[in-house]
């Protein structure tokens, strides 16, 4: 009899046992993580640019609505398009990631995202009309959607269980840090120069990634065993027992050597983790985080706050950064699921849903499914972002915020019934659980 979708109330539905297998418990402590941290930093610079680009409109929309240049002056409808078209670009980036993630590999896909990002920022910096702003915003959104699908997978696949939780939070940390920098620069820097400043992290990311290895799991899936072993040795340190981990990864890849077929989508091992990941991304966006961030200064303009709206936006960015840092330092100790229950967006549904997406997706579907998650996420964000200002103008701020609060209650139920705990488990162990439906792991 087929098991339901990962409930958690009875022993039959428990996700993982509390103590890690003895073969993995001591291994992470012997590793050298400096190169792993460097590779992660190089990759998540793409998230920094993504967070920067996402909230670019927050200080820019108020400035353009007052622009003395008629060709650039925006009304409310044009402002809603300028704010929301980024999410359409991000959805297209997620759709592209479904192909590029497995065609080029995780690292090269991240590097490829620099092309639309650089062009997009250049268009906005030199904009002479609304079409240049919209096109630039769309291209930076495309780059953001591509990196949102590729970077969590890359970081998850190069990490080991001892630090995967902390490193899995770094994409969100960098995205929040990028947003905070934009808010801070927006206090003093004109909107065109904000676009110019956005080019810097993209170029740094490109240079650093040239010297970083590709994911060993991806290399093995392409039949490049020697290159995969060399990549893992570089990441873990040559004087560590990395051969044991390599053998585990190799066994897992060999079990999934064939491509994903439509018939396999009916296999619970495939569709259950994909369903959980997609629903997490959908519900995360329904909490309203994207429209709130995109229109943050406009929201503060319409409320009776004491500080100027641009300073309030910077404070929100700082609070988000602190919250994500707390999540990064606690999720490997407290666990992913408990943080989803007890914390707010920046400590829970922000960083953890991206991490869980990269952890639970099966290897043979990871590239395609991660792109699907991003596609669903940003199509949802587009609908919310495009309609947010219209709803606020018609009914006031309270209506969308009541809706967002109701979704948060739904998220609590979903977390309790469907989300597994993946703390201190290797990606191969997580796949073993979904494959067998039992509390057994690869040893």
């Amino acid at each position: 009899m087929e098991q339901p979708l990962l409930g958690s109330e009875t022993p039959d539905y428990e996700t993982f046992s509390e103590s890690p297998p003895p073969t993995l418990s001591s291994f992470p402590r012997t590793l050298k993580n400096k190169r792993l941290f460097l590779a992660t930093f190089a990759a998540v610079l793409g998230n920094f640019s993504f967070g920067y680009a996402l909230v670019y409109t927050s200080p820019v929309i108020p400035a353009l609505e007052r622009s003395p240049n008629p060709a650039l002056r925006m009304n409310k409808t044009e402002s809603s398009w300028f704010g929301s078209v980024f999410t359409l670009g991000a959805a297209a980036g997620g759709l592209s990631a479904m192909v590029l993630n497995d065609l080029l590999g995780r690292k090269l896909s991240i590097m490829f995202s620099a092309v639309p990002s650089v062009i997009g920022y250049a268009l906005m910096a030199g904009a002479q009309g609304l079409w240049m702003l919209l096109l630039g915003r769309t291209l930076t959104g495309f780059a953001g959607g591509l990196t949102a699908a590729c970077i969590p997978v890359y970081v998850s696949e190069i990490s080991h269980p001892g630090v995967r939780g902390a490193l899995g939070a770094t994409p969100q940390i960098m995205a929040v840090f990028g947003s905070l920098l934009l808010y801070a620069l927006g206090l003093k820097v004109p909107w065109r120069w904000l676009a110019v400043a956005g080019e810097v992290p993209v170029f740094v990311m490109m240079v650093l990634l040239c010297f970083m290895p590709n994911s060993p799991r991806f290399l093995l899936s392409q039949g490049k065993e020697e290159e995969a072993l060399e990549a893992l040795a570089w990441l873990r340190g040559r004087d560590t027992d990395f051969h044991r981990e390599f053998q585990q990864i190799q066994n897992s890849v060999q079990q999934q050597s064939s491509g994903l077929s439509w018939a396999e989508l009916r296999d619970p091992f495939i569709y259950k983790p994909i369903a959980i990941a997609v629903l997490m991304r959908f519900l995360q966006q329904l909490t309203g985080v994207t429209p709130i961030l995109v229109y943050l200064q406009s929201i503060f303009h319409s409320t009776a706050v004491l500080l100027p709206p641009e300073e309030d936006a910077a404070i929100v960015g700082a609070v988000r950064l602190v919250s994500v840092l707390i999540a990064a330092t606690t999720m490997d100790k407290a666990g992913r699921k408990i943080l989803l229950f007890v914390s707010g967006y920046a400590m829970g549904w922000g960083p953890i849903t991206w991490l869980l997406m990269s952890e639970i997706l099966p290897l043979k579907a990871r590239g395609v499914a991660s792109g699907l998650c991003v596609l669903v996420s940003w199509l949802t964000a587009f609908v919310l972002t495009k309609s947010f200002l219209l709803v606020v103008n018609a009914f006031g701020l309270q209506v969308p915020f009541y809706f967002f609060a109701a979704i948060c209650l739904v998220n609590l139920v979903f977390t309790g019934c469907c989300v597994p705990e993946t703390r201190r488990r290797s990606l191969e162990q997580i796949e073993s659980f979904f494959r067998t439906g039992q509390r057994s792991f690869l040893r």
Side-chain angles (χ1 to χ4, degrees), residues 142-164:
F142 180 90
L146 184 58
T147 56
C150 300
I151 292 175
V153 174
Y154 178 74
V155 172
S156 179
E157 289 188 347
I158 67 173
S159 303
H160 58 80
V163 295
R164 198 176 62 240

mmCIF file of all heavy atoms in Angstrom, residues 142-164:
data_model
loop_
_atom_site.group_PDB
_atom_site.id
_atom_site.type_symbol
_atom_site.label_atom_id
_atom_site.label_comp_id
_atom_site.label_asym_id
_atom_site.label_seq_id
_atom_site.Cartn_x
_atom_site.Cartn_y
_atom_site.Cartn_z
ATOM 1 N N PHE A 142 15.947 37.745 -15.245
ATOM 2 C CA PHE A 142 16.325 36.471 -15.858
ATOM 3 C C PHE A 142 17.581 35.910 -15.202
ATOM 4 O O PHE A 142 17.646 34.715 -14.863
ATOM 5 C CB PHE A 142 16.563 36.662 -17.358
ATOM 6 C CG PHE A 142 16.955 35.407 -18.083
ATOM 7 C CD1 PHE A 142 15.996 34.585 -18.639
ATOM 8 C CD2 PHE A 142 18.290 35.042 -18.206
ATOM 9 C CE1 PHE A 142 16.349 33.417 -19.303
ATOM 10 C CE2 PHE A 142 18.665 33.887 -18.866
ATOM 11 C CZ PHE A 142 17.684 33.070 -19.419
ATOM 12 N N ALA A 143 18.575 36.768 -15.014
ATOM 13 C CA ALA A 143 19.811 36.329 -14.352
ATOM 14 C C ALA A 143 19.519 35.861 -12.934
ATOM 15 O O ALA A 143 20.055 34.842 -12.473
ATOM 16 C CB ALA A 143 20.822 37.471 -14.337
ATOM 17 N N GLY A 144 18.657 36.593 -12.226
ATOM 18 C CA GLY A 144 18.319 36.200 -10.863
ATOM 19 C C GLY A 144 17.595 34.872 -10.787
ATOM 20 O O GLY A 144 17.857 34.052 -9.905
ATOM 21 N N GLY A 145 16.665 34.639 -11.724
ATOM 22 C CA GLY A 145 15.955 33.361 -11.738
ATOM 23 C C GLY A 145 16.872 32.194 -12.040
ATOM 24 O O GLY A 145 16.737 31.109 -11.467
ATOM 25 N N LEU A 146 17.829 32.415 -12.948
ATOM 26 C CA LEU A 146 18.786 31.361 -13.288
ATOM 27 C C LEU A 146 19.671 31.029 -12.092
ATOM 28 O O LEU A 146 19.887 29.852 -11.759
ATOM 29 C CB LEU A 146 19.625 31.805 -14.482
ATOM 30 C CG LEU A 146 20.621 30.795 -15.056
ATOM 31 C CD1 LEU A 146 19.916 29.521 -15.479
ATOM 32 C CD2 LEU A 146 21.365 31.405 -16.240
ATOM 33 N N THR A 147 20.190 32.055 -11.427
ATOM 34 C CA THR A 147 21.047 31.792 -10.265
ATOM 35 C C THR A 147 20.253 31.219 -9.103
ATOM 36 O O THR A 147 20.771 30.392 -8.348
ATOM 37 C CB THR A 147 21.745 33.086 -9.807
ATOM 38 O OG1 THR A 147 20.764 34.098 -9.529
ATOM 39 C CG2 THR A 147 22.699 33.604 -10.854
ATOM 40 N N ALA A 148 18.989 31.623 -8.954
ATOM 41 C CA ALA A 148 18.169 31.087 -7.864
ATOM 42 C C ALA A 148 17.959 29.590 -8.005
ATOM 43 O O ALA A 148 17.809 28.878 -7.004
ATOM 44 C CB ALA A 148 16.810 31.801 -7.828
ATOM 45 N N ALA A 149 17.963 29.092 -9.244
ATOM 46 C CA ALA A 149 17.806 27.656 -9.467
ATOM 47 C C ALA A 149 19.128 26.911 -9.388
ATOM 48 O O ALA A 149 19.158 25.744 -8.969
ATOM 49 C CB ALA A 149 17.161 27.410 -10.838
ATOM 50 N N CYS A 150 20.218 27.541 -9.781
ATOM 51 C CA CYS A 150 21.504 26.843 -9.911
ATOM 52 C C CYS A 150 22.366 26.915 -8.657
ATOM 53 O O CYS A 150 23.023 25.928 -8.301
ATOM 54 C CB CYS A 150 22.285 27.412 -11.099
ATOM 55 S SG CYS A 150 21.445 27.263 -12.686
ATOM 56 N N ILE A 151 22.387 28.075 -7.996
ATOM 57 C CA ILE A 151 23.311 28.246 -6.876
ATOM 58 C C ILE A 151 22.988 27.336 -5.699
ATOM 59 O O ILE A 151 23.893 26.682 -5.155
ATOM 60 C CB ILE A 151 23.372 29.722 -6.444
ATOM 61 C CG1 ILE A 151 24.036 30.556 -7.544
ATOM 62 C CG2 ILE A 151 24.159 29.886 -5.140
ATOM 63 C CD1 ILE A 151 24.039 32.050 -7.287
ATOM 64 N N PRO A 152 21.724 27.225 -5.232
ATOM 65 C CA PRO A 152 21.463 26.307 -4.111
ATOM 66 C C PRO A 152 21.846 24.870 -4.426
ATOM 67 O O PRO A 152 22.340 24.140 -3.558
ATOM 68 C CB PRO A 152 19.949 26.444 -3.893
ATOM 69 C CG PRO A 152 19.600 27.789 -4.430
ATOM 70 C CD PRO A 152 20.511 27.977 -5.605
ATOM 71 N N VAL A 153 21.630 24.445 -5.676
ATOM 72 C CA VAL A 153 22.002 23.080 -6.068
ATOM 73 C C VAL A 153 23.515 22.918 -6.039
ATOM 74 O O VAL A 153 24.050 21.923 -5.526
ATOM 75 C CB VAL A 153 21.441 22.754 -7.465
ATOM 76 C CG1 VAL A 153 21.947 21.390 -7.945
ATOM 77 C CG2 VAL A 153 19.912 22.758 -7.435
ATOM 78 N N TYR A 154 24.242 23.887 -6.582
ATOM 79 C CA TYR A 154 25.706 23.822 -6.586
ATOM 80 C C TYR A 154 26.259 23.772 -5.162
ATOM 81 O O TYR A 154 27.097 22.924 -4.832
ATOM 82 C CB TYR A 154 26.270 25.033 -7.329
ATOM 83 C CG TYR A 154 27.779 25.100 -7.349
ATOM 84 C CD1 TYR A 154 28.532 24.257 -8.166
ATOM 85 C CD2 TYR A 154 28.473 26.014 -6.543
ATOM 86 C CE1 TYR A 154 29.917 24.323 -8.187
ATOM 87 C CE2 TYR A 154 29.862 26.085 -6.557
ATOM 88 C CZ TYR A 154 30.575 25.236 -7.378
ATOM 89 O OH TYR A 154 31.950 25.293 -7.382
ATOM 90 N N VAL A 155 25.785 24.674 -4.300
ATOM 91 C CA VAL A 155 26.277 24.728 -2.925
ATOM 92 C C VAL A 155 25.949 23.442 -2.186
ATOM 93 O O VAL A 155 26.788 22.889 -1.455
ATOM 94 C CB VAL A 155 25.690 25.947 -2.191
ATOM 95 C CG1 VAL A 155 26.033 25.906 -0.703
ATOM 96 C CG2 VAL A 155 26.200 27.239 -2.808
ATOM 97 N N SER A 156 24.751 22.933 -2.370
ATOM 98 C CA SER A 156 24.352 21.699 -1.694
ATOM 99 C C SER A 156 25.196 20.519 -2.157
ATOM 100 O O SER A 156 25.606 19.671 -1.349
ATOM 101 C CB SER A 156 22.870 21.427 -1.961
ATOM 102 O OG SER A 156 22.455 20.234 -1.347
ATOM 103 N N GLU A 157 25.491 20.454 -3.447
ATOM 104 C CA GLU A 157 26.218 19.308 -3.987
ATOM 105 C C GLU A 157 27.704 19.324 -3.666
ATOM 106 O O GLU A 157 28.341 18.266 -3.647
ATOM 107 C CB GLU A 157 26.011 19.226 -5.508
ATOM 108 C CG GLU A 157 24.608 18.800 -5.896
ATOM 109 C CD GLU A 157 24.449 18.520 -7.372
ATOM 110 O OE1 GLU A 157 25.361 18.891 -8.158
ATOM 111 O OE2 GLU A 157 23.428 17.934 -7.757
ATOM 112 N N ILE A 158 28.285 20.480 -3.420
ATOM 113 C CA ILE A 158 29.709 20.508 -3.066
ATOM 114 C C ILE A 158 29.920 20.432 -1.561
ATOM 115 O O ILE A 158 31.038 20.219 -1.099
ATOM 116 C CB ILE A 158 30.417 21.762 -3.626
ATOM 117 C CG1 ILE A 158 29.894 23.034 -2.958
ATOM 118 C CG2 ILE A 158 30.295 21.825 -5.141
ATOM 119 C CD1 ILE A 158 30.662 24.288 -3.351
ATOM 120 N N SER A 159 28.857 20.590 -0.769
ATOM 121 C CA SER A 159 28.979 20.604 0.692
ATOM 122 C C SER A 159 28.884 19.194 1.263
ATOM 123 O O SER A 159 28.408 18.266 0.611
ATOM 124 C CB SER A 159 27.880 21.476 1.307
ATOM 125 O OG SER A 159 27.922 22.791 0.806
ATOM 126 N N HIS A 160 29.328 19.044 2.503
ATOM 127 C CA HIS A 160 29.141 17.791 3.233
ATOM 128 C C HIS A 160 28.159 18.042 4.379
ATOM 129 O O HIS A 160 27.880 19.197 4.729
ATOM 130 C CB HIS A 160 30.473 17.243 3.755
ATOM 131 C CG HIS A 160 31.210 18.191 4.651
ATOM 132 N ND1 HIS A 160 30.896 18.373 5.978
ATOM 133 C CD2 HIS A 160 32.261 19.021 4.409
ATOM 134 C CE1 HIS A 160 31.712 19.251 6.519
ATOM 135 N NE2 HIS A 160 32.556 19.676 5.585
ATOM 136 N N PRO A 161 27.592 16.983 4.979
ATOM 137 C CA PRO A 161 26.521 17.170 5.967
ATOM 138 C C PRO A 161 26.879 18.056 7.150
ATOM 139 O O PRO A 161 26.015 18.714 7.708
ATOM 140 C CB PRO A 161 26.219 15.734 6.428
ATOM 141 C CG PRO A 161 26.626 14.875 5.283
ATOM 142 C CD PRO A 161 27.812 15.555 4.675
ATOM 143 N N GLY A 162 28.160 18.108 7.515
ATOM 144 C CA GLY A 162 28.538 18.879 8.693
ATOM 145 C C GLY A 162 28.329 20.369 8.561
ATOM 146 O O GLY A 162 28.133 21.061 9.558
ATOM 147 N N VAL A 163 28.388 20.891 7.330
ATOM 148 C CA VAL A 163 28.243 22.344 7.137
ATOM 149 C C VAL A 163 27.188 22.685 6.099
ATOM 150 O O VAL A 163 27.023 23.854 5.757
ATOM 151 C CB VAL A 163 29.591 22.974 6.706
ATOM 152 C CG1 VAL A 163 30.630 22.845 7.804
ATOM 153 C CG2 VAL A 163 30.095 22.353 5.402
ATOM 154 N N ARG A 164 26.479 21.681 5.584
ATOM 155 C CA ARG A 164 25.547 21.958 4.488
ATOM 156 C C ARG A 164 24.428 22.899 4.909
ATOM 157 O O ARG A 164 23.953 23.723 4.117
ATOM 158 C CB ARG A 164 24.959 20.666 3.920
ATOM 159 C CG ARG A 164 24.339 20.872 2.529
ATOM 160 C CD ARG A 164 23.843 19.574 1.907
ATOM 161 N NE ARG A 164 22.798 18.997 2.705
ATOM 162 C CZ ARG A 164 22.850 17.798 3.267
ATOM 163 N NH1 ARG A 164 23.938 17.060 3.121
ATOM 164 N NH2 ARG A 164 21.855 17.336 3.990
#
